[in-house]
Amino acid sequence: MNTKKIAIMGFGTVGGGAYDILVENREYIKNTRGVDIEVARILDRSEEALSARNADAALFCPSADALAADPDIDLVIETMGGVEPARSFIIKMLKAGKSVVTANKELLAKHWSELEPIAEKNGAGLYFEASCVGGVPIIRALESSFQGDRINTVYGIINGTTNYILSKMSAEGCEYSAALKQAQALGYAEADPTADVEGYDAAYKLSVLGSLAFRTYVPYETVFREGISGITADDIRNARDLGYVIKLLAIGKRDGNKLEARVHPVFVPETHPLASVSDAFNAVYLNGDFVGDLMFYGAGAGAHPTGSAIVSDAITALTEAPKYRRFVADGKLEAGISLVGNFESGYYICVTVDDRVGVLSRISTVLSDNGVSIKAATQRSGREDGTATVVFLTHRANERSVMSALETIGKLASVRRIDSTVRVL
Ligand code: NDP
Ligand code: HSE
């Protein structure tokens, strides 16, 4: 049996996780998949990255050019993260005819349309199962299963870090910053965790998953995005009092030629299956016109779950002919497809007001004038500073109507501030 030599670029959490699997299961993979994979070179900033993970220092390679020029290397795993130099390095490898396996959703969301044609032109494969939902085989499912179905919705929890933070804040009353530090220590967060907490990471993933699910390109720039950094302990407590938990959801829908793609925090009913998805676990729902509802659940981040997706892609790349997704090639929303910006949702609105007669009624009037119907309202008053907190839950309403109502409410003399607005599932 031929040994296939591969390289890893970026030897941190995920690169290290993939390496562990390739070393530990080498014989098993050889015997069951018929391919002997040897990690022959590792590129990182310094050799210390290798010694820190018990890899042989002799594997260290400081230069992407040397890797691209090495005829013995059949495939390259990219787990450096970020756009540059990952983009240039991947292009070098593809142009050298080497297939690339990447976990880099940011790069894919921003440069997929550039990379896919380069891969095709050079007969190399581009694989990215690890880029979305960690160890959960969602990309493979979207590409190979229910191919005759029209997928109408793809939605769920697709960022491990924010789910970890919200779970810890909710279950243990943990502070936001302490929960974020834990997620970083566990290797879930991006190098700059702003990508996680402000929803960029989930938006990158929704662009990729939505494109595959809806068989039309969903440019990353078209995804509506809001993160969790504005969610307070009060919001979490209010949610619990009302029978909800807060989750960062990615929501994609296709209805004919109308496309909806958004990422934002959501009040999820405690009884909904997504409510019990905790820590760094992810869950994705799909609905297809004939297959019906499906749910994918598993570890959405972490060295070994993500490493598992990488190794699986590497085996596929080394044993099967590559496939290309031509629909991404122009990097634009397909002609005739329109985006739904004014989507519908229920809303949770928390407002601090002067504790005076008539305030609630004035706010209710503004909501009603904008066509927003109140489902429930509660008030906590009796504070020394003369303020009260009013919490509203609305029936389904248009995003623009709610935002317009909030603009007017914010200007009412008796309203001190609008504390939070969170959409309700
Ligand atoms: P890490 O920071 O743990 O690992 C990245 C490694 O690449 C580090 O050793 C880093 O060195 C090295 N590196 C970065 N830039 C360069 C460069 N220019 N030249 C040489 N080496 C470089 O990140 P992760 O493993 O967490 O993430 C890697 C990729 O996987 C990202 O695209 C991420 O989005 C994705 N991913 C991560 C998951 C996770 O659970 N962590 C899950 C799914 C996907 P240094 O530390 O010195 O910068
Ligand atoms: N930072 C990402 C997350 C890693 O927390 O989900 C997995 O893609």
Side-chain angles (χ1 to χ4, degrees):
M1 185 185 303
N2 259 346
T3 297
K4 299 284 186 187
K5 294 192 179 195
I6 71 164
I8 298 176
M9 301 192 296
F11 205 51
T13 303
V14 176
Y19 176 82
D20 290 346
I21 301 168
L22 286 163
V23 171
E24 198 169 319
N25 279 2
R26 181 168 172 178
E27 278 303 304
Y28 175 76
I29 293 168
K30 194 164 115 181
N31 295 334
T32 57
R33 306 293 298 137
V35 56
D36 181 32
I37 306 177
E38 177 190 340
V39 179
R41 326 256 337 232
I42 298 176
L43 179 147
D44 205 284
R45 281 189 226 279
S46 76
E47 283 179 52
E48 278 154 36
L50 279 68
S51 51
R53 292 177 191 276
N54 297 323
D56 184 351
L59 301 182
F60 181 65
C61 168
S63 140
D65 287 325
L67 272 190
D70 186 340
D72 290 341
I73 299 293
D74 292 298
L75 173 138
V76 177
I77 291 169
E78 184 276 310
T79 41
M80 291 163 34
V83 171
E84 283 297 351
R87 173 186 156 275
S88 313
F89 287 8
I90 286 180
I91 290 174
K92 273 186 216 297
M93 303 307 151
L94 293 174
K95 285 190 170 167
K98 299 182 198 307
S99 288
V100 171
V101 173
T102 179
N104 194 333
K105 50 275 154 106
E106 179 181 3
L107 177 64
L108 203 60
K110 294 179 178 170
H111 293 279
W112 193 3
S113 60
E114 180 189 19
L115 300 177
E116 194 82 37
I118 297 175
E120 183 165 13
K121 194 169 164 208
N122 292 282
L126 180 65
Y127 301 83
F128 45 85
E129 180 66 70
S131 68
C132 297
V133 203
V136 179
I138 185 82
I139 304 277
R140 191 151 291 132
L142 285 171
E143 295 210 280
S144 320
S145 305
F146 32 85
Q147 296 191 62
D149 274 71
R150 235 180 231 104
I151 304 294
N152 308 306
T153 49
V154 47
Y155 79 97
I157 298 168
I158 60 174
N159 180 268
T161 301
T162 46
N163 204 45
Y164 185 88
I165 294 172
L166 292 170
S167 301
K168 293 288 163 199
M169 286 174 77
S170 178
E172 297 167 20
C174 192
E175 285 296 324
Y176 173 88
S177 53
L180 171 58
K181 277 202 186 106
Q182 287 174 20
Q184 288 177 292
L186 289 164
Y188 303 146
E190 296 302 304
D192 176 358
T194 312
D196 296 295
V197 298
E198 294 305 344
Y200 292 99
D201 180 79
Y204 300 144
K205 291 169 180 166
L206 184 59
S207 162
V208 175
L209 295 178
S211 300
L212 295 173
F214 305 136
R215 329 268 190 226
T216 188
Y217 192 46
V218 181
Y220 150 69
E221 298 79 7
T222 62
V223 179
F224 172 93
R225 178 196 52 78
E226 205 179 279
I228 65 158
S229 59
I231 299 292
T232 63
D234 281 346
D235 294 326
I236 288 176
R237 211 172 308 116
N238 289 336
R240 189 181 309 126
D241 291 348
L242 292 161
Y244 293 87
V245 292
I246 303 180
K247 298 285 182 191
L248 182 75
L249 292 196
I251 300 170
K253 296 182 187 173
R254 179 171 185 174
D255 180 6
N257 283 339
K258 288 198 196 127
L259 209 58
E260 198 175 312
R262 49 193 166 103
V263 167
H264 51 71
V266 175
F267 269 41
V268 176
E270 270 167 2
T271 49
H272 192 284
L274 284 178
S276 55
V277 176
S278 302
D279 298 336
F281 282 93
N282 283 186
V284 183
Y285 273 97
L286 294 180
N287 175 273
D289 51 359
F290 287 96
V291 72
D293 288 327
L294 298 159
M295 181 176 171
F296 295 77
Y297 171 85
H304 289 142
T306 314
S308 157
I310 287 185
V311 171
S312 187
D313 268 354
I315 293 170
T316 302
L318 293 169
T319 55
E320 294 175 22
K323 295 184 187 125
Y324 302 102
R325 303 97 183 162
R326 298 199 171 91
F327 65 89
V328 304
D330 71 355
K332 295 193 187 96
L333 200 61
E334 199 183 308
I337 301 273
S338 64
L339 273 178
V340 179
N342 194 19
F343 52 83
E344 270 196 1
S345 176
Y347 289 79
Y348 150 89
I349 299 164
C350 181
V351 194
T352 299
V353 298
D354 292 333
D355 195 0
R356 276 200 258 122
V357 69
V359 177
L360 206 58
S361 124
R362 276 195 286 279
I363 297 177
S364 308
T365 303
V366 175
L367 288 170
S368 148
D369 287 349
N370 283 276
V372 181
S373 161
I374 297 169
K375 188 175 175 187
T378 56
Q379 180 169 341
R380 265 201 308 274
S381 45
R383 289 205 192 100
E384 277 182 9
D385 67 355
T387 64
T389 298
V390 187
V391 168
F392 295 96
L393 279 186
T394 77
H395 286 288
R396 282 175 76 80
N398 287 331
E399 172 81 4
R400 281 191 201 125
S401 305
V402 174
M403 292 306 137
S404 152
L406 288 175
E407 205 182 325
T408 311
I409 290 168
K411 289 178 190 155
L412 293 176
S414 44
V415 170
R416 298 273 182 106
R417 62 182 175 272
I418 295 170
D419 298 293
S420 310
T421 310
V422 183
R423 293 157 193 91
V424 179
L425 191 67

